[in-house]
Amino acid sequence: MTIYKREIRAGLRDIAPVAVAAVPIGLLFGALAAAKGLSPLEIGLMSSLVFAGGAQFAATEAWLHPAPIAALTFATLLINARHVLMGASLMPKLKMSRSQQLVAMFFLTDESWALSERRALERPITGAYWAAMAAILWLNWAISSTLGAVLGSLMGDPSRIGADFAFTALFIGLVAGFGCSRVTLVTVGVSAAVAALVHYFIGAPWHVASGALAGIAAAYLAAPKEAHA
């Protein structure tokens, strides 16, 4: 029980900065979705059942009446394709049963993946640690996006106070936590460069998958030969 409580506290401690940074993003999404005609209830259900910020923003931008289901499905599938790679990387490090791992993957986000990978450098990722992170981030996103829908135009533009940069700053901190090894620097540099170029010349959402695949290739090529065995 002592270990269980310690793992929960560690999960809450690690996810706290992420939850704070997610609040203005959730408020912004809720306001944008409400402007497209979705009700606070619909937005709350969407955030609870989909739980994918990037895909939800993309779906909202393309939302019409009637909704273009095929286009929305393709865009969100492409944006969330990175979860296949993140899940494959994380599954062997989760100290859970197979059924628990499958449930845990519903709550997989970029932030929980990065925090878990960093923790896995020192110890296995327990169910208590993951559950604490997942529950807080899921509730935070569902509540903040619903609140954003209710507040709507009262919020104003979050970019006025730099709130739109919150997640970017958070990811910079997460990446920095992996250290400055040659493999890390090469992987991050190549992934960022490819994503930026694809976004500039082709546009969203292709830069997400392109950056992820380029980063994987760069990490494989930069890793020591014995790591390929």
Side-chain angles (χ1 to χ4, degrees), residues 16-223:
V18 176
V20 173
V23 169
I25 309 301
L27 293 173
L28 175 60
F29 168 72
L32 292 174
K36 288 284 188 174
L38 277 73
S39 70
L41 176 60
E42 290 171 330
I43 293 169
L45 286 173
M46 183 183 187
S47 291
S48 300
L49 299 176
V50 178
F51 190 45
Q56 288 179 237
F57 270 105
T60 301
E61 290 178 6
W63 197 271
L64 299 171
H65 292 286
I69 301 300
L72 292 176
T73 301
F74 178 73
T76 53
L77 179 63
L78 186 60
I79 290 172
N80 285 339
R82 69 192 189 282
H83 284 232
V84 176
L85 304 175
M86 293 191 297
S89 169
L90 202 56
M91 286 286 272
K93 302 161 189 172
L94 294 175
K95 195 177 179 182
M96 310 175 193
S97 66
R98 176 61 65 175
S99 59
Q100 290 173 330
Q101 288 178 335
L102 293 176
V103 173
M105 288 301 99
F106 170 79
F107 298 95
L108 179 64
T109 64
D110 300 299
E111 300 80 24
S112 59
W113 171 80
L115 290 169
S116 297
E117 286 287 356
R118 189 168 66 183
R119 186 171 179 82
L121 297 175
E122 302 175 356
R123 68 195 73 185
I125 305 160
T126 63
Y129 177 83
W130 181 269
M133 287 201 307
I136 292 299
L137 200 56
W138 180 76
L139 283 172
N140 182 75
W141 179 251
I143 293 172
S144 62
S145 58
T146 304
L147 184 59
V150 173
L151 296 177
S153 59
L154 297 178
M155 290 173 48
D157 185 4
S159 64
R160 291 184 297 106
I161 58 174
D164 58 326
F165 190 71
F167 261 1
T168 303
L170 176 66
F171 276 115
I172 293 174
L174 290 174
V175 171
F178 282 96
C180 296
S181 67
R182 183 178 67 88
V183 176
T184 299
L185 292 175
V186 170
T187 302
V188 172
V190 171
S191 180
V194 171
L197 289 172
V198 171
H199 187 275
Y200 181 79
F201 288 105
I202 300 177
W206 300 100
H207 64 296
V208 178
S210 300
L213 293 174
I216 292 172
Y220 179 84
L221 294 175

